């Protein structure tokens, strides 16, 4: 489903099946009028999920608990990373650094070895700046790890897939 290549510290993912993020996804953002919420991980998840799914996406909850709001609204929740799904995590998983709020984002790709690519806002504490960051996540613990959730409604058919996304991975 996803072809990948690793050359030095650059990874390319082919046919990641999520739309390329556009500023237009943020139109009508319930987070954008607040400097405390603008650029937070929850804003990116809301924007991407609103672009990919037909229903009204939940806005209540912090990153680590956001999957609960989605589940209450009818979303599927799983422990398996799934392209086009959101994710919720608490430290030490998937970029979460604060036990009190956790982290959320969207799954941009899943590699054959179980690693997955996350699309994030505020991964490096940039909020209120809206900085999209991709990160490689090394697998997922099945119990007590990251929760992945579908959007609300049907998947939108109109979204064009990203043909190639180049990611610069951190070097040790």
């Amino acid at each position: 489903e996803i072809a990948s290549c690793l050359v030095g510290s650059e990874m390319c993912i082919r046919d990641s099946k999520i739309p390329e993020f556009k500023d237009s996804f943020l139109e009508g953002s319930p987070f954008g009028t607040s400097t405390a919420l603008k650029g937070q991980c929850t804003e990116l998840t809301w924007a991407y999920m609103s672009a990919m799914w037909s229903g009204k996406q939940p806005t209540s909850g912090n990153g680590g608990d956001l999957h609960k709001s989605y589940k209450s609204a009818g979303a599927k929740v799983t422990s398996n990373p799934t392209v086009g799904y959101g994710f919720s995590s608490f430290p030490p998983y998937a970029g979460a650094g604060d036990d009190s709020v956790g982290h959320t984002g969207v799954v941009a790709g899943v590699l054959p070895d179980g690693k997955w690519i996350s699309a994030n806002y505020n991964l490096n504490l940039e909020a209120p700046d809206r900085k999209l960051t991709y990160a490689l996540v090394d697998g997922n613990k099945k119990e007590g790890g990251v929760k992945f959730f579908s959007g609300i409604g049907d998947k939108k058919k109109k979204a064009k897939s990203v043909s190639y996304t180049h990611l610069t991975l951190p070097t040790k």
Side-chain angles (χ1 to χ4, degrees):
E1 187 172 351
I2 295 173
S4 65
C5 59
L6 216 48
V7 181
S9 66
E10 191 169 277
M11 171 180 286
C12 70
I13 301 170
R14 185 170 183 259
D15 297 328
S16 64
K17 297 192 181 186
I18 65 169
E20 185 173 355
F21 192 80
K22 296 179 177 125
D23 287 342
S24 63
F25 294 176
L26 294 165
E27 290 174 10
S29 169
F31 304 92
T33 58
S34 165
T35 55
L37 299 176
K38 182 179 175 184
Q40 294 290 343
C41 57
T42 48
E43 183 178 39
L44 177 88
T45 300
W46 172 85
Y48 241 135
M49 298 299 268
S50 294
M52 294 187 294
W53 298 83
S54 64
K56 182 178 172 144
Q57 306 308 309
T59 58
S60 61
N62 288 315
D65 291 322
L66 194 58
H67 70 281
K68 293 176 184 176
S69 293
Y70 274 79
K71 185 174 183 177
S72 293
K76 295 176 187 170
V77 177
T78 179
S79 60
N80 299 315
T82 305
V83 175
Y85 273 37
F87 70 87
S88 287
S89 64
F90 283 103
Y93 304 108
D98 184 337
D99 285 328
S100 67
V101 294
H103 187 60
T104 187
V106 174
V107 178
V110 179
L111 304 176
D113 63 1
K115 294 175 183 161
W116 53 282
I117 307 299
S118 64
N120 311 267
Y121 265 3
N122 205 30
L123 186 63
N124 298 303
L125 306 177
E126 308 93 347
D129 291 339
R130 290 170 164 160
K131 183 172 185 211
L132 178 59
T133 304
Y134 292 94
L136 178 65
V137 182
D138 191 3
N140 185 50
K141 186 177 166 185
K142 295 296 178 191
E143 295 296 322
V146 179
K147 300 291 184 202
F148 302 92
F149 51 91
S150 70
I152 305 305
D154 296 324
K155 271 198 165 183
K156 293 180 179 178
K157 305 284 184 204
K158 295 183 215 172
K160 292 181 182 176
S161 296
V162 174
S163 295
Y164 288 92
T165 301
H166 292 280
L167 307 170
T168 302
L169 304 176
T171 56
K172 291 183 180 179

